[in-house]
Amino acid sequence: MPRPLAEWLAYQEHVHPRSIELGLERVRGVWLRMGAPSPARKVITVGGTNGKGSTVALLEAMAQGAGLHTGAFTSPHLLDYNERVRIDGMDADDAALVASFERIEAARGETPLTYFEYGTLAALWLFREAALDLQVLEVGLGGRLDAVNLVDADAALITNIGLDHTDWLGPDRESIGYEKAGVLRADRPAVCADPQPPASVIRRAAELGIALQLVGQDYDFSASAGRWNWRGGKQQWTDLPMPGLRGAAQLRNAAGVLAVIDALQPLLPVPEAAIRAALPALSLPGRFQRIGDVILDVGHNAEAAAVLADNLRAELVKGRVLLVMGMLADKPAEAYAQALVPCVHEFFAAGLSSARG
């Protein structure tokens, strides 16, 4: 009888002595022994510090609206592990994930894999089995040495670059930018939605001979009266509905998505109707999610706090605003809380059961 999904996940937490181990050598070896599952007809890789989840969701929705057989791999999950692997908008079921883990285990031998590496290989295996038109892959950590970078993407999108995971990626934006730029590939379209990209990203694109699409230079957008316009080198879309997720950062993410859609149009056509339908429908659990008078937000770095503060200032709140915050010990809790001080009346610190809490 197959091992249940919950047992597989508990097992994976102890296969590797560390929860994070960057590098492609181990996971590539297993991937090759699995037969190097062929990617979809087209692959888009999304990296960056913030905004990856909503960017993936929007790309996925637009592709599905165009009738494309689409898969998406994201992390982490909010409630159920199955959320990490979606095919045509549906979470992978337990049986499919268990079957993929059994395939990985048969190929692994003595090679230790991390929890995230198991998940990445499972997604690639399931996407191969589904014979997709498009797979959208979200980088887990960094880019250059992340397991997602096994696959040569047909287009890469870097959302933004901020200070997060500095113990792994380096102490400043230049170091982190170098890691994020590892997902770029020569002769493949690439977009950077950060309005002030580090020189390391520009330099890596130049080394690869990529005409990196930069916001404010190669494409741009403007908003007025609840609508917005996008223009690129050849294409423009006007009077677009706002993204369902609010805030200036989400509009910038959406503009980056349109830059990728525009770059791939000759190879992966997405009609304007699919773009217009996907934008207002965009939603993501835990991203400024409203449940009655409660707002839930999973942001955990200073840049995310600034976005949350902007969104709170735009709210018309009657009464007091209370902040309940729990955060991992390796996150900038003080800077995060400081950004929200002007927006709240009272603060409550919540402990976390995690060893990193």
Side-chain angles (χ1 to χ4, degrees), residues 7-8 20 42 58 60 68 99 106 124 154 175 179 194 259 273 279 288 318 321-322 341 346 352 356:
E7 287 187 18
W8 268 109
I20 298 173
K42 294 297 172 189
L58 194 52
E60 181 186 13
L68 299 172
L124 296 179
D154 295 282
S175 305
E179 297 296 333
D194 192 314
L279 282 164
F288 206 76
K318 294 180 179 178
V321 178
L322 312 179
V341 165
E346 198 165 352
L352 296 178
R356 291 168 60 204

Side-chain angles (χ1 to χ4, degrees), residues 27-40 43 100 103-104 107 120-130 135 137 150-152:
V27 68
R28 179 179 282 120
V30 179
W31 185 61
L32 291 172
R33 290 194 291 275
M34 292 173 66
S38 303
V43 179
S100 67
R103 182 70 186 84
I104 295 165
T120 304
L121 291 172
L124 296 179
W125 178 261
L126 292 175
F127 292 163
R128 195 281 293 272
E129 295 291 285
Q135 63 188 33
L137 305 176
L150 283 172
V151 180
D152 293 325

Side-chain angles (χ1 to χ4, degrees), residues 12 15-16 19-37 73 81 100-101 103-125 137 140-141 143-151 185:
Q12 291 168 20
V15 171
H16 196 288
S19 60
I20 298 173
E21 178 69 19
L22 295 179
L24 299 180
E25 184 176 348
R26 288 172 302 96
V27 68
R28 179 179 282 120
V30 179
W31 185 61
L32 291 172
R33 290 194 291 275
M34 292 173 66
F73 173 58
Y81 185 90
S100 67
F101 291 147
R103 182 70 186 84
I104 295 165
E105 195 68 3
R108 183 176 70 84
E110 298 300 315
T111 303
L113 294 175
T114 67
Y115 186 89
F116 179 78
E117 289 166 345
Y118 269 101
T120 304
L121 291 172
L124 296 179
W125 178 261
L137 305 176
L141 181 60
R144 182 175 65 94
L145 299 176
D146 187 86
V148 163
N149 208 30
L150 283 172
V151 180
R185 295 294 190 272

Side-chain angles (χ1 to χ4, degrees), residues 192-241:
C192 183
D194 192 314
Q196 295 181 307
S200 55
V201 175
I202 307 297
R203 186 164 53 249
R204 183 56 182 155
E207 290 170 356
L208 293 171
I210 297 170
L212 183 64
Q213 301 291 299
L214 298 173
V215 64
Q217 297 184 33
D218 305 289
Y219 73 95
D220 211 346
F221 64 97
S222 59
S224 178
R227 308 290 284 185
W228 67 294
N229 305 315
W230 184 94
R231 64 158 185 82
K234 299 178 181 178
Q235 177 70 53
Q236 64 177 1
W237 288 289
T238 60
D239 195 34
L240 293 167

Side-chain angles (χ1 to χ4, degrees), residues 23-319:
L24 299 180
E25 184 176 348
R26 288 172 302 96
V27 68
R28 179 179 282 120
V30 179
W31 185 61
L32 291 172
R33 290 194 291 275
M34 292 173 66
S38 303
R41 188 158 60 89
K42 294 297 172 189
V43 179
I44 299 173
T45 295
V46 178
T49 302
N50 295 315
K52 296 190 296 292
S54 55
T55 294
V56 170
L58 194 52
L59 281 166
E60 181 186 13
M62 289 181 181
Q64 285 181 244
L68 299 172
H69 193 23
T70 305
F73 173 58
T74 63
S75 64
H77 59 278
L78 188 62
L79 298 177
D80 297 310
Y81 185 90
N82 311 60
E83 299 166 20
R84 294 180 177 229
V85 183
R86 295 191 299 273
I87 296 177
D88 291 334
M90 300 295 293
D91 295 347
D93 61 32
D94 286 13
L97 288 166
V98 166
S100 67
F101 291 147
E102 289 174 343
R103 182 70 186 84
I104 295 165
E105 195 68 3
R108 183 176 70 84
E110 298 300 315
T111 303
L113 294 175
T114 67
Y115 186 89
F116 179 78
E117 289 166 345
Y118 269 101
T120 304
L121 291 172
L124 296 179
W125 178 261
L126 292 175
F127 292 163
R128 195 281 293 272
E129 295 291 285
L132 300 175
D133 296 312
L134 172 68
Q135 63 188 33
V136 187
L137 305 176
E138 178 186 343
V139 171
L141 181 60
R144 182 175 65 94
L145 299 176
D146 187 86
V148 163
N149 208 30
L150 283 172
V151 180
D152 293 325
D154 295 282
L157 170 56
I158 298 173
T159 56
N160 74 333
I161 295 163
L163 296 179
D164 202 0
H165 302 295
T166 53
D167 288 348
W168 295 96
L169 304 180
D172 51 40
R173 293 182 75 242
E174 288 298 326
S175 305
I176 295 170
Y178 171 76
E179 297 296 333
K180 304 288 186 189
V183 300
L184 305 181
R185 295 294 190 272
D187 303 319
R188 306 283 176 92
V191 173
C192 183
D194 192 314
Q196 295 181 307
S200 55
V201 175
I202 307 297
R203 186 164 53 249
R204 183 56 182 155
E207 290 170 356
L208 293 171
I210 297 170
L212 183 64
Q213 301 291 299
L214 298 173
V215 64
Q217 297 184 33
D218 305 289
Y219 73 95
D220 211 346
F221 64 97
S222 59
S224 178
R227 308 290 284 185
W228 67 294
N229 305 315
W230 184 94
R231 64 158 185 82
K234 299 178 181 178
Q235 177 70 53
Q236 64 177 1
W237 288 289
T238 60
D239 195 34
L240 293 167
M242 287 295 207
L245 288 172
R246 65 191 305 167
Q250 293 298 343
L251 192 57
R252 188 167 61 247
N253 292 339
V257 166
L258 290 187
V260 172
I261 294 291
D262 183 46
L264 289 179
Q265 279 290 60
L267 305 173
L268 210 67
V270 175
E272 185 172 337
I275 292 170
R276 292 185 177 277
L279 282 164
L282 176 64
S283 65
L284 211 58
R287 275 71 167 187
F288 206 76
Q289 180 185 3
R290 298 205 66 145
I291 301 177
D293 289 332
V294 176
I295 295 172
L296 305 176
D297 196 274
V298 297
H300 53 262
N301 54 45
E303 291 82 5
V307 170
L308 176 57
D310 286 343
N311 287 340
L312 288 174
R313 290 188 190 99
E315 288 284 304
L316 296 176
V317 177
K318 294 180 179 178

